[in-house]
Amino acid sequence: MNVHTYFEDIGIWPKDNVLISYVMGFILSLVCTVLAYMLATSSVLLFSFSVPIAVSLIVILAVIQLVVQLSFFLHLSARTTSRDRYLIFCATMFIVAVLFIGSVWIMNTLNTRMMPDTTNMNAYMKSQSGL
Amino acid sequence: MTHVRTIESDTKTVFGFWTYLMTDLVLFASLFAMYAVLHANTAGGPSGRDIFSGPVVLAETLILLTSSFVVGLAMLAARAHKKMLVISAVVLTMILGIGFLATELAEFSSLVAAGHSWAQSGFLSGYFALVGTHGLHIFIGLIWALMLLEHIAHNGLTQSNMRKLVLFSLFWHFLDIIWICIFTLVYLLGII
């Protein structure tokens, strides 16, 4: 084993400068975290944003930070060095999306999918049969 | 005959560990989904806005982010073959990890002491299950880091220990990524 190229050899690091990658990842993550925190705690006072806009901005900042950490800390990319990890990550994110969005969607619309109670059901049947 | 580890077998080990992390991601996704479904069900108890403390959570986030960066520095030190630097970086990671866990446990115990345990409402059940599972991972990571230290201190930066360091760094970066989701979805959107 060559210590100085071991991480590159096992495909965990890209060939380019990794120190810059870690420092960049750290600084960008710090910026995203602090900005998101300011938005959540004082957005109405500082920037006079409405709540839905502040929420969307916070979520966008979180997504940016996730991409930053995945690429700068975990060195995940479609390049050949980490292609296998990248592909299984994409497949897992599909499962995660189905699981999360599907659960929230079904559970939040549960009431409209349930049969009404007896009183309401009788009223509904009467209205349908024209009695 | 002793088993000789090659670069190829280490590559496979790293991929196998990554696959485990992806299954862990699915575990966290189901906990996040549960929290998203239950977070409004406060059953007359407190909501996120009543119990979350912004500065404490920001401190936890910065501590964990720094520890994730320090693991990266440990990797850089390992490549430069500086054993003492690797050990210092892993020790610093552990100190930050312990600081994070202590803050979280203090937060949990003050909630329970105020009567807001997981038994009070669906929101609190989801909160404790999600954040607690992440905390449990951090705790396991700390034990792992301790064993890693022992291996490196004893045998130096052998191929086997380099591989162990790689797997630990993946685990620790992964936990920071999960924490960003908790920080955003649970805390920031809870206090806004």
Side-chain angles (χ1 to χ4, degrees), chain A residues 59-130:
Chain A
V59 171
I60 289 169
L61 279 169
V63 172
I64 293 173
Q65 196 175 347
L66 290 180
V67 173
V68 162
Q69 295 212 3
L70 284 168
S71 45
F72 290 105
F73 284 174
L74 288 168
H75 316 291
L76 200 63
S77 77
R79 282 181 296 182
T80 45
T81 44
S82 59
R83 193 171 189 84
D84 291 348
R85 287 192 296 135
Y86 180 76
L87 289 176
I88 193 170
F89 174 76
C90 293
T92 309
M93 284 315 286
F94 174 71
I95 297 171
V96 166
V98 170
L99 189 59
F100 185 82
I101 298 170
S103 300
V104 172
W105 181 17
I106 291 170
M107 293 309 287
N108 284 348
T109 54
L110 205 56
N111 284 339
T112 59
R113 295 174 200 285
M114 296 289 262
M115 202 166 82
D117 60 41
T118 318
T119 320
N120 286 322
M121 193 65 194
N122 285 340
Y124 175 74
M125 288 197 296
K126 275 180 186 162
S127 74
Q128 289 298 301
S129 59

Side-chain angles (χ1 to χ4, degrees), chain A residues 1-19 22-26 29-30 32-34 36-37 39-41 43 51 54-56 58-59 61-63 65-66 69-70 73-76 84-86 88-90 92-93 95-97 99-101 103-104 107-108, chain B residues 7 10-11 14-15 18-19 21-23 25-27 29-30 32-34 36-37 53-58 61-62 65-69 71-76 78-81 157-160 162-166 169-171 173-174 176-178 180-181 183-185 187-189 191-192:
Chain A
M1 173 196 74
N2 180 353
V3 158
H4 301 290
T5 59
Y6 177 72
F7 297 143
E8 285 88 342
D9 292 342
I10 61 168
I12 204 75
W13 273 7
K15 297 264 184 275
D16 39 282
N17 197 327
V18 184
L19 174 62
Y22 278 117
V23 174
M24 283 283 290
F26 185 52
S29 298
L30 272 182
C32 287
T33 300
V34 173
Y37 180 76
L39 277 170
T41 49
S43 63
V51 170
V55 166
S56 338
I58 288 171
V59 171
L61 279 169
V63 172
Q65 196 175 347
L66 290 180
Q69 295 212 3
L70 284 168
F73 284 174
L74 288 168
H75 316 291
L76 200 63
D84 291 348
R85 287 192 296 135
Y86 180 76
I88 193 170
F89 174 76
C90 293
T92 309
M93 284 315 286
I95 297 171
V96 166
L99 189 59
F100 185 82
I101 298 170
S103 300
V104 172
M107 293 309 287
N108 284 348
Chain B
I7 290 293
D10 277 5
T11 309
V14 170
F15 181 68
W18 181 262
T19 311
L21 287 182
M22 293 301 102
T23 63
L25 195 55
V26 175
L27 165 77
S30 52
F32 274 112
M34 177 193 65
V37 167
S53 153
V56 172
V57 178
L58 182 66
T61 307
L62 296 179
L65 174 61
T66 311
S67 81
S68 191
F69 174 63
V71 168
L73 297 183
M75 295 273 285
L76 285 159
R79 187 171 63 165
H81 214 66
L157 294 169
T158 59
Q159 178 172 345
S160 160
M162 293 283 271
R163 187 189 67 251
K164 290 183 172 78
L165 180 64
V166 168
S169 81
L170 289 179
F171 187 67
H173 290 317
F174 169 78
D176 192 34
I177 284 173
I178 296 293
I180 296 165
C181 300
F183 176 63
T184 304
L185 291 178
Y187 289 107
L188 292 187
L189 298 190
I191 59 177
I192 196 165

